[in-house]
Amino acid sequence: MGSDDWAWLSVWAKTGRDPLNSAAVTRWLPLHQHLADTAGVAGLLVDQWVSPQVLARLARDLDGDAVEVRRLVTWLAAVHDVGKASPAFAVQNDRLADVMRARGLVAPPRLKDDPQRSRARHEYVGQDAVRRWLADELGFRFRGAAAQLAGVIGAHHGVPSTPSDIALVRERSDLAGRGEWEQARAAVLRWATDLVGGPAVVKRFADVTFDRPSQVLLAALVIMADWIASNDELFPLDPLHTAQEPPVRPDPDRTAARVGAGWRELELPPRWTPRPVDDVPEAFAARFGRDPATVRPVQVAAVEAARAQERPGLVVVEAPMGEGKTEAALLAAEALAARFDADGCFVALPTRATTDAMFGRVLAWMRVLPGLAADASVMLAHGTASLNDEYRGLLWRGQIRDVGDGGDEAGIAHHWLRGRKKGPLAQFVIGTVDQVLVAGLKSRHLMLRHLALAGKVVVIDEVHAYDVYMSSYLDRVLHWLGAYGAPVVLLSATLPAARRAELLAAYDSGRAGAPEPPIEEPGYPVVLASGDRPRPVPASGTPRPVVLERLVEDPELDDLDALVDTLRTGLAKGGCAVVIRNTVARVQKTADTLVAVFGEEHVTVTHSRFLACDRAHLDAELLRRFGPPGPGTQRPPLHIVVATQVVEQSLDVDFDLMVTDLAPIDLVLQRMGRLHRHARRRPAGLERARCVLTGVEDWAGAPVRAVAGSRRVYGEHVLLRAAALLTDRERITLPTDIAPLVQTGYGALMPGPAAWHEKMRTAQQTHELEIVRRREQAAEFLLGDVGGPRATLDGWVRAGVGDADGDGEDPRRVGQVRDGAESVEVLVVQRDRDGGLRTPDWIAKNAGVQIPLDEQVPGKLARTIAACALRLPVGMSQLNPVGDGVIRALEQNHYASFDRSPLLSGQLVLVLDDDRTAELRHGAAAFRLTYDLRRGLLHQQL
């Protein structure tokens, strides 16, 4: 070749700046070296890191040939930045552009200020170049595999192209580069093709159809390889003075040394090699320390259903509270992982609190998993994960990587597999359900989230707890997981038949083959699995009757007086009662009355409007006082807990007497699971489980009507149906009555007296219209389906939300997979008398510590502040002028020190005075907030 034929070697890809002078570029890397590094990393990812479950899915498009998968991924990585051979990219550095000009690659300096230069992005230039080259030089069909593989190149910065992006690249030839620039790009593509064996190797893909799930996984692997190869600690840049004439030619030995050293330094954890679960009772004993004879039937059925799967599918475990569904799910996940070569597990739960509680249980399971290395990667996935002491210990182990065999420990939070985008790629992830649902949200770098899920078994708990809005995202995610062949385990106390059918159909819609017929009455408890018969099983233990009463108010008294009378009578000989209200306002009002009657020492208040650290303390106290019998439980002789729905899920607490607001039938039953939950001696008069229903305007009404706050939370339709089932009922037997009540409560036939039906039909019509509205609202940012065989990534996340995590955006608008009613979170601090800030003076750890206002907040102090997170009332968080005013008022509390702390940056701050009060005023918003240590946050509109 003549000197002009080597002009492409002068193209630059990376620059580095002087750490002491950010304006001075002192390092660089030529394009060919970065591409060679990335290709080397991609090959190692396929060889040593990518889940075999993902490789099998990719090989499905290539006649099952895993070797071809490696060649394809390596080639895509080797060409991913070919678009950097363009004037729009070159002009970003004058000195390096001059080197390129000397080789004939002319990039006019004026282009640097062209307003459209930023739109002629190098990934889109590369996409157009790859598509044309595959078609023109290798004979690919322009609208077939050429378009599909080129779309992977266009997506490698996290956002696939749109037709307008490619149109601009073609229209602005001065930005994309023609002539000598096209020749340079073609030279890069020929060189990269030679890296994988030459044109004949790449031509093998010419007639392949790559479906959209395969394209997503390929794009994710290219992104991951690019990010690793772009880490200049792993792959150092060259001194700037080496950018010279003539340019240095590719050196395979140098590349091999760079890739080997970088990979060793990266130290990605080895794959998990799961082993089949042969003896279910013995496996339960080994994993959870259980006597094999005590393994429950539903647990055995769940694992047997997992082992019976002929291809990846959905396993649904429906069983009452206390049946050990979590243990069943983990062992089922282990069996599914062994069956289909998954490399980890993603366990998703409804809330941060339930996620934190689950984290230790999953770690304990991991410690005894066969075939799992001590340095398996783990992530706790929610916004305040770094506040979890156990997870923070894993973060430390991830930094100090020479940890030997780990002793009795399992897992590290790997130093590279961290952060919101990379963290879910860890082998074992325990997170809030949002972390799964965002896989159905159009957002930047969505491919990485899909890769993270596609290689695992996904376990989702409490699927009955998700509303229509969240369920739209859950159904779409299940559709994609079905397409990837990722096994899924869903857990629920029980599901309405229609919802169960929707979940099974959603997963089925993504995988090839005929859909499964719906199952109307599978029994209860039951395990259902794709392609398998229902497995109904008996519940463990003796059926437990619960006496059901209604709190009938004296017309001369209000409901609080009637409640006091009920509790005085019921607790005459002592005992522990729980009063569950559907709104925080009702909790606070009820607690004030009960404190006045029973004394503050006998009443505990818990709801969502306490600081996160205070909530954690309250949860720990609830477990200490009302948890399972044992040496750590100190049950008081007389106590009343007044709570919202926070006691409904996951907390293993047990009360002698329950009073609950009317709620949807499945949630009433869920609440009853906290009544006489464990075997223990009860006070006189409380030997029988007793649940008292309240929260209605008039039990004699036709129909019964729930109080206004409950109707706002749940809607009138489901409350009317629950009232119709419970208004005359005197006893419920758990778990026998759970499934019949839930199926009737959500079934097609209308329950209750005929005199109620007209108003119930009206409520149902309103409910159905609301479902349509919420689904339409969810659809705005809902990811599309997998598409047909000709589908590409073009426009895949068009009109999306940017980063799903919402950095720097309105917290009410960005990355939402929960309904718009989700409240805004703030960090609470107090103002000193001299105008400074301190941590709240009442918290258990680091109370009243001075907070710097300018320099970065120290790590320990930042964790304390982050633990003071608090959710504002929904009425202050809406997308309306009031909510806008609240956000604007909070944004006035801006501190440079918070911006400099990764844990605090971008968070809204609420500043209280010495009296723990604050006023927020801006536009239509005017509120006085008070933090009461016993009652939580109080708010008053001014």
Side-chain angles (χ1 to χ4, degrees), residues 373-375 397 400-407 412:
D375 59 347
R397 291 186 70 211
I400 311 301
R401 299 194 291 282
D402 296 327
V403 293
D405 63 6
I412 61 170

Side-chain angles (χ1 to χ4, degrees), residues 630-645:
T633 303
Q634 299 175 353
R635 196 173 181 88
L638 172 67
H639 208 84
I640 304 167
V641 174
V642 190
T644 55
Q645 299 88 332

